[in-house]
Every structure is written in structure tokens, then in C-alpha cells.
Amino acid sequence: MNRGVVRVGAFAVAALLMLAASAFAAEAASEDEPVLLSADEVSYDRDLGVVTARGHVELSQGERILLADTLTYNERTGTVAASGNVSLLEPTGDVAFAEYVELTSGLREGVIRDIRVLLKDGSRIAANGGRRTGERTEFAKAVYSPCPLCEEDPTRAPLWQLKAVRVTHDQDEHRIAYRDAWLEIYGVPVAYTPYFSHPDPSVTRQSGLLTPQFSLSNSLGPAARIPYYFTLGPSADGTFEPIVTTKQGIVLGGEYRRLFQTGEFDVNGSITRADRQDEDQDQNEIDDNVVRGHIDARGRFDYDENWRLGADLERASDKSYRRLYDYGNERTLTSQAFAERFDERSYGLGRSLWFQGLRDEDDNDEFPLIWPEAFYHYVGEPWGIGNYLTFDAGVLNLSRIEGRDSRRLHSRAGWHLPYISRAGYLLELGATLEADGYWVDGVDPDSPLVDPDDSEGGFTGRIFPQLSAELRYPLVQYNKRFTQMIEPVVAVIAGTGDPNPNLIPNEDSQDFELDETNLFDPDRTTGVDRADGGQRVDYGLEWSAYGAKGGAVSAFIGQSYRLSASEDFDPGSGIEDDLSDVVGRLDLAPIPELDLTYRFRLDSRTAEPHRNELHLRAGPRRVNLQLSYIFLDDETATREFGDREEIYTRLRGEITDNWSGTMFARRDLELNRFLSYGVGLTYENWCLAIGAEIRREEFDDDEIDPETKVLLRITFKTLGGVGNL
């Protein structure tokens, strides 16, 4: 028979299935698909019952393609054999090469000589021979490596490889196992294991050892994190992550994740027995062998298309535990349970909150417990000439073990009218009426937290009406090189002059500070407990330019004038005087390699800065610099940070295609000392990643003294458990 393409029956299907099995096919070939055979010569010996194809044999079914010099099928013995440059391309992307393959017993058993497999992720397996039994293939004297071979000398050993006396590939379990294996680096044996296994490339999630991390610090000594990943069904997994330390023993940590049809759940935590400095005793007092740990849990569930339920639990055994064992640097842990409702034009939230402070000066008996808080917000449909109504309502119950307790009822109704004139003016009118009622126990107007026996209490409230009008007039100029816009803005706000009785506690508006983002808000406070009353005028000017080929620059400056000074806001807020501080912002991004943002707040009389912020990102992807600077004067600085001036810089560069480095430093300019600094070096290619970092931290926090940390992570790619839910 001359060379050509013909349809064949059982012979072609059998041959195809045989070679598909030898190449670890994840799916069996379907006998319903047509099989196409192309060869220089095809013959059939009726007496012997042997079908033979010779010369450039090409067999295909669907996306699976077989190439060989010779292919035979013996109908009497059920033996299929292929020889001479045998190769098979699988739909999965795997390619198998062999000099000779022979399978019997319904194509489920057989031998393979001189086999090489190129897996879809680029990994390679080579062996002197192999034997297939059912869904298991065993390789004798095999080598596995994901590293590419040297182009100049392919015979050179790769960067790393696993050599084993026997390698078993289980197609059912999708794992590759090694017996009597050596890990070689550039052909030099460096580690031996009697048994080792890892997922094959077809696996997206499977149990196994993840990349360990090694560290060295003054507090813990030499330490190692050794995570092991577990698959717990199609919608759940877990990670067991013990930390072995030389100074504080073993920490048992882990994480459990679960997906549901309507939500998700995630919990991680740790526990250990270790020494701890007593928080209530002298710095030199140590509690021996106490139980320490933490828990972080998060759940979100959609009850239906409108309702969502959720909860967060964040707790630690003591203030320094999470920072000591690198579980986080949070200063306050927040736990909550909530239910929220989403509608087309409204939002409702009910929740309970409780907190744990982790700073040295925190007294958790003075932290509030909120049980419950409910809030509702509604925005009406536009009507008439585009005006619409809004309504807010809320209830709050707040208590403490030591300090003030309060209950609050809140409501606010509003009318709003946005309007665009034919001349281009943007006008927005608004009117709101707020009504709040409080019952307070343990409030002293001069102290945030005091003994209830020495403070005032009782019922109080307020009625606070407010009118607002904001006018913008954007002026735009177009030309071939760029487009620029100048937009003056002015707002007039009028409300009652003294809306904050002394008896009302300030629980949710203590962090207010004037900036360019809230300058024109009618009520500039961050919560409900303080109302921004009185009459004032806000004004500002914004300019921006956009290049025809990309790039943008924008700037803003603004100020507020109040008809009378306010005693409702602390010094440093920026609006305690009749004439507010000057606030502004500069954004500069002329090219993709440069992005700069500068924000400021200046004294209205002396022009001295009360706050300066600078954020810079410069450079291309291969070499880039990040820089952040912040300055807060002694009036602006909050109780949490105090007077503050700090700079942080980070330089990252790609030294070569595989090597990259990082340098970083954080310096307190007020105290003229470094807070932290360090250097990191990373090597990464297709098959290996090594990351090393040395950092010095000068923070002195409870039992954590200034120390130097060394971190090391080595990842042999394609080895270990993998998985993402």
C-alpha cells in the first residue's frame, strides 16, 4: 500500500492506547473518534495475524499524535510494539520518547527501553528502561529534573536533578515517587533520601511538603518553618506549619480553608509552651513555660442575593507573641460578627465589635466592646430636576470594663440637588437634618477615659441642621501636545454654631485631620459623635494636564474659613481656628517610570508645615526606587505616634536575568536613628529559587529587643505539595 492517510480499526486504536499509556496519558483515547494512519508502507500478514506499518509512521486520534519508524500489532498474542524514534504528543502537552515499546495483556502491561519524557511544565524524566503495570509505570535507574539543559553542552549535568534506583509514576494518584534517591547540584550529590514523592504536572492541588524557611534571630535563635499542605476534598485544604526554634522550643501552627456554595471559611492559628516576659511585672521578670498562641479566623457567607453574614476572630495570648513569631505586626486586633444587606439603593449593617490592643501602653480593660451597632443608609431615586433624598439611621451600644459606657441613637435626613448649567458650572445643593440621642455613664468632658465615680453621666442629644452649596467651574484647553484643565471650587456651609454638648463622648471621631480629600465635605468628621457645625466657606483651585502620548500632572491647593473658631476640634486638627490650615496635593506622572505624590498641610499664618507626605516610585521594572517620607509636628501628631518624622526607602534591581537584589531602610529623623534596614538577594530560574535576607530591627517592644534577623528560603520548583482553592 502506498504512503497515504487511511482509516483503520482495532489495530490503530490499540496502538494508540498503548503509547498513550506509556506517556502517562491522563485520559484514555476514545474509540468513537476516527484514527488516522499515515506511513510509507502498511502490510497485513493473514497467516501470522500481524499488521505492520513502516517508514515515517504517523498515527493520530483527536489531539494525540504518535510518530515511529515501525509499528506492529499481533492479533493472536495481543502484543503491540513500536520501535525506532518512537514519540507521542499528548493533549496534556507531555511528550514521550523511546527506542522500543512493547505492551501486552490488553495494553496494560509491558516494557519500555531507553525512555525519555518531557512533561508539560518542562520537566524531564529519563531512564534506561521501564515497566508498565496497570496505571503504574516503574522506571529503572531514572533521572528527574525541571532544569533546562545547557545549550552549548547538553551532556552537562543540569543545575539540580534527582537520581533514583527506581522511580514510580502512579497515574491514578498523579504522583511520582523515588526510591534510594540522591539530590545532585551540578552533578554533585548533596542529599540522600530512601523515599521521596511529589505531584506530577497534571496536579493542581495535592498534599505534600511546601518550601521550608530558615531564620536566625536573637529572640528565637536558629529556627525553621516546615509547612506541609493537605488536600481535604475538592473544596477544603489545610496546612500544618510547625516552627522549630532552638531557644523557645516548637510552635505548632496551621491553617484550614473551606469553600462552600454560598461562602468561605478560613482559620489559622498557633500554640506553644515557651518563656514569656510578664506584662505586669518588671522587665527582668520572666514566666517560664507558659502557653502562648494566636488565632485568626474569617468567614463570609451569602445567605441570598441581598444578605451576607460574616465573622472575624483575631486574638493573641499576649502583646508580643505575633511579632515575636512573625505572625503579623498589627497594633490592634479586631474581632467582629456582622450581617449586612445590599439593595439597589440602600445598605444595612448590624455588627458587634471587640478589640485587643498590642502596644505596651494599651490597657485592654479600657478598650470598648460594641454590642451591638446597627446602621442603615438609603439613597432615593432622582426626581423632578434631578434632586434626590438620603436617609441614615443607626444605633450603638458601647461598654467598657473600666471607663465610660454610652448608648446612641442616630438619624440624618438629607436633600441633594446636583446641577450642570449650559455654561459648564457644576452646582450641588444640599440640606440635612441630624438628630442624635445619647445615654452616657462615666463621661468626663476633659478626659477620654476616667473612673465612672468621678465623672458625669446622663441623657443628652442634639438637633443639627445644615445647608451646603458647592460650585465648580472646570475650564479646559485642548492642543496637540496636551490637554489642561483649571477648576476653581468654592463651597458655603451653614449649620448651628454649637452642635456638640460636653456630655456627648467622642468615640468615633478622634482621628479627624483636615486634608484635601475632606476639605469640601459638609460634615468633615470621621464618625457621628462630632458634628462639624458653624458657618464656613471652603475654597480651592485644581489644575491638571494630560499628555497626548500619555503622562499626567495635577495639583490642588485649598483652605477653609470659619466665621468663628471652633472648640469642638483638638489643636492639630487643622480647623480649630477660624482660618484653617492650607492643604494641597501634587501628583506627577509624566512617564511610566516616574510616579510622585506630595501632600501637605501648612499653617495659615506662618506657612510652617504641620504635615508633609511624599511618595515616590522611580525607575523601570528592572531597577526601581520607592521612597516614602512623612512629617507630623507635635500638634498634628496623634497620641499613637507622637511627634514624628520618618523616611523609608527601598531599592530593587535585577542584576541579571536570574539575579535580583533589594536594599531597604527606615529612619526616624526626629530621633536621628535607624528603625530597620537590610539587604536581600534572590536567584530564580525555571527550576530553582533562592532568597536570602539580612535585616536589622531597632524596635524595642516589651520582650522584643533590637535584633538582627537572617532569613533563607530555597525552593526546588515542581517539588512539594501544591494547591489553591
Side-chain angles (χ1 to χ4, degrees):
M1 182 181 296
N2 295 330
R3 175 174 175 82
V5 178
V6 297
R7 292 182 180 272
V8 295
F11 154 68
V13 175
L16 185 61
L17 286 176
M18 177 274 296
L19 287 167
S22 69
F24 320 120
E27 300 176 358
S30 171
E31 296 189 13
D32 295 333
E33 294 186 68
V35 178
L36 303 180
L37 173 66
S38 174
D40 292 340
E41 179 183 347
V42 178
S43 62
Y44 177 58
D45 190 323
R46 295 182 181 275
D47 296 333
L48 298 177
V50 176
V51 182
T52 304
R54 297 186 179 88
H56 302 93
V57 179
E58 180 176 337
L59 191 68
S60 64
Q61 183 180 40
E63 298 180 358
R64 189 173 284 111
I65 300 174
L66 162 71
L67 302 176
D69 292 340
T70 303
L71 188 68
T72 63
Y73 172 56
N74 191 315
E75 295 177 325
R76 297 177 181 177
T77 63
T79 301
V80 179
S83 60
N85 300 310
V86 180
S87 61
L88 176 71
L89 174 62
E90 283 290 333
T92 61
D94 297 344
V95 183
F97 306 91
E99 282 302 315
Y100 179 78
V101 178
E102 180 178 316
L103 292 184
T104 59
S105 301
L107 309 175
R108 298 183 61 81
E109 298 181 1
V111 296
I112 309 169
R113 291 202 302 265
D114 192 15
I115 183 171
R116 303 172 306 282
V117 180
L118 177 63
L119 305 178
K120 69 175 183 179
D121 63 352
S123 304
R124 295 172 172 85
I125 297 177
N128 291 342
R131 177 175 295 277
R132 180 174 180 82
T133 304
E135 297 301 321
R136 294 168 58 90
T137 303
E138 293 186 356
F139 300 93
K141 296 182 179 180
V143 177
Y144 168 86
S145 178
C147 302
L149 299 177
C150 176
E151 295 182 358
E152 298 179 357
D153 184 6
T155 61
R156 289 178 55 186
L159 176 58
W160 70 266
Q161 61 184 3
L162 285 174
K163 277 189 176 180
V165 174
R166 186 169 78 252
V167 176
T168 302
H169 185 203
D170 191 317
Q171 284 82 14
D172 284 339
E173 299 293 332
H174 301 287
R175 291 196 72 85
I176 302 175
Y178 305 81
R179 298 282 184 177
D180 294 324
W182 281 91
L183 172 65
E184 294 186 353
I185 305 295
Y186 285 120
V188 178
V190 296
Y192 168 80
T193 176
Y195 176 81
F196 180 77
S197 70
H198 64 86
D200 69 22
S202 66
V203 174
T204 56
R205 46 191 308 269
Q206 192 172 92
S207 301
L209 188 69
L210 300 178
T211 302
Q213 176 178 299
F214 305 95
S215 64
L216 174 65
S217 66
N218 298 341
S219 303
L220 303 178
R225 290 176 180 257
I226 310 172
Y228 191 91
Y229 176 79
F230 294 92
T231 57
L232 303 173
S235 59
D237 63 13
T239 303
F240 175 60
E241 187 181 50
I243 305 175
V244 181
T245 73
T246 56
K247 288 187 176 182
Q248 293 292 343
I250 298 177
V251 179
L252 300 180
E255 180 180 20
Y256 174 76
R257 302 186 301 173
R258 179 70 183 270
L259 285 176
F260 302 89
Q261 286 187 334
T262 59
E264 60 181 349
F265 177 74
D266 184 351
V267 58
N268 67 79
S270 64
I271 188 170
T272 185
R273 294 189 69 93
D275 298 338
R276 183 188 70 188
Q277 180 178 302
D278 195 306
E279 298 172 359
D280 299 325
Q281 298 180 9
D282 185 80
Q283 291 287 328
N284 296 322
E285 296 291 337
I286 300 296
D287 292 333
D288 296 329
N289 201 30
V290 298
V291 176
R292 308 179 69 181
H294 87 288
I295 185 171
D296 287 337
R298 178 183 183 274
R300 299 290 185 270
F301 298 92
D302 297 325
Y303 181 76
D304 56 28
E305 63 180 9
N306 299 110
W307 283 95
R308 183 171 69 168
L309 309 177
D312 298 307
L313 177 61
E314 297 181 354
R315 302 295 291 180
S317 60
D318 51 84
K319 293 180 178 180
S320 59
Y321 175 82
R322 292 168 65 98
R323 296 190 292 278
L324 179 64
Y325 290 97
D326 289 329
Y327 283 115
N329 293 313
E330 297 85 354
R331 292 299 184 261
T332 302
L333 301 182
T334 302
S335 301
Q336 65 170 334
F338 68 88
E340 56 187 346
R341 178 179 174 83
F342 305 87
D343 283 314
E344 292 183 358
R345 308 195 67 83
S346 66
Y347 171 76
L349 171 67
R351 63 179 177 177
S352 177
L353 296 162
W354 57 102
F355 308 92
Q356 180 183 12
L358 302 183
R359 297 172 300 180
D360 286 346
E361 63 271 21
D362 288 339
D363 183 351
N364 284 296
D365 287 344
E366 296 178 348
F367 273 52
L369 170 63
I370 298 175
W371 174 265
E373 179 186 24
F375 177 79
Y376 177 76
H377 176 68
Y378 171 77
V379 178
E381 290 278 0
W383 55 278
I385 58 175
N387 52 178
Y388 62 93
L389 301 177
T390 60
F391 178 72
D392 298 317
V395 59
L396 172 71
N397 177 45
L398 183 150
S399 62
R400 291 180 173 88
I401 297 176
E402 296 180 5
R404 64 183 172 221
D405 302 334
S406 64
R407 283 80 175 164
R408 181 183 72 200
L409 290 174
H410 165 72
S411 64
R412 177 185 294 169
W415 170 85
H416 308 272
L417 173 62
Y419 175 73
I420 302 177
S421 72
R422 293 183 178 181
Y425 293 99
L426 306 179
L427 177 65
E428 183 165 352
L429 303 177
T432 60
L433 178 63
E434 180 177 343
D436 302 310
Y438 287 81
W439 179 85
V440 185
D441 182 22
V443 170
D444 184 335
D446 299 324
S447 177
L449 293 172
V450 296
D451 189 331
D453 295 335
D454 300 328
S455 61
E456 300 179 8
F459 290 94
T460 187
R462 64 167 161 243
I463 302 294
F464 176 53
Q466 190 176 59
L467 301 175
S468 64
E470 180 181 300
L471 180 65
R472 296 174 177 265
Y473 188 37
L475 303 172
V476 182
Q477 181 189 42
Y478 300 93
N479 58 51
K480 294 182 179 180
R481 298 178 57 188
F482 63 91
T483 299
Q484 66 173 335
M485 180 182 72
I486 298 178
E487 184 180 53
V489 187
V490 62
V492 178
I493 292 92
T496 55
D498 189 15
N500 300 302
N502 288 340
L503 195 58
I504 293 181
N506 183 9
E507 297 284 359
D508 60 9
S509 299
Q510 297 183 21
D511 59 346
F512 170 77
E513 183 186 347
L514 182 69
D515 59 33
E516 79 283 358
T517 64
N518 60 22
L519 175 64
F520 297 101
D521 292 344
D523 188 353
R524 297 175 292 195
T525 61
T526 55
V528 174
D529 290 336
R530 283 292 176 267
D532 192 1
Q535 298 80 46
R536 73 177 197 265
V537 178
D538 306 326
Y539 43 88
L541 181 67
E542 184 167 7
W543 171 81
S544 57
Y546 305 91
K549 296 183 179 180
V553 180
S554 65
F556 172 83
I557 189 169
Q559 194 179 31
S560 176
Y561 175 73
R562 189 189 298 270
L563 297 184
S564 60
S566 174
E567 298 180 356
D568 295 329
F569 297 94
D570 296 331
S573 64
I575 60 172
E576 65 272 17
D577 298 325
D578 52 356
L579 192 62
S580 78
D581 290 345
V582 177
V583 297
R585 182 196 72 251
L586 171 66
D587 292 317
L588 181 64
I591 56 177
E593 292 78 18
L594 177 63
D595 189 353
L596 181 146
T597 299
Y598 171 60
R599 303 173 65 212
F600 60 88
R601 182 158 68 84
L602 309 177
D603 189 278
S604 60
R605 294 177 174 82
T606 65
E608 294 182 357
H610 289 308
R611 182 185 185 102
N612 276 325
E613 284 185 67
L614 176 68
H615 301 280
L616 171 68
R617 180 190 59 81
R621 180 185 60 84
R622 294 186 66 90
V623 181
N624 57 80
L625 171 70
Q626 296 181 27
L627 185 145
S628 298
Y629 168 82
I630 186 169
F631 165 76
L632 301 174
D633 68 1
D634 54 356
E635 290 187 358
T636 305
T638 63
R639 288 190 298 270
E640 180 177 0
F641 296 108
D643 197 3
R644 183 180 180 187
E645 186 175 11
E646 183 178 302
I647 187 171
Y648 172 81
T649 181
R650 182 183 185 92
L651 177 65
R652 182 186 181 278
E654 295 184 8
I655 304 171
T656 66
D657 290 339
N658 302 116
W659 287 95
S660 63
T662 302
M663 294 186 295
F664 64 91
R666 186 183 300 274
R667 185 173 181 83
D668 189 326
L669 302 179
E670 180 70 23
L671 300 178
N672 196 28
R673 69 183 183 93
F674 283 101
L675 300 178
S676 64
Y677 53 90
V679 61
L681 191 63
T682 300
Y683 175 84
E684 184 171 4
N685 61 16
W686 289 101
C687 61
L688 180 70
I690 302 176
E693 182 180 299
I694 302 176
R695 65 164 61 218
R696 175 69 180 176
E697 296 182 348
E698 298 291 345
F699 301 103
D700 190 355
D701 187 2
D702 201 8
E703 66 181 298
I704 303 176
D705 298 323
E707 62 178 355
T708 300
K709 292 183 177 181
V710 180
L711 304 176
L712 176 65
R713 180 187 293 267
I714 302 176
T715 303
F716 294 94
K717 296 185 178 179
T718 73
L719 301 184
V722 293
N724 290 298
L725 285 178

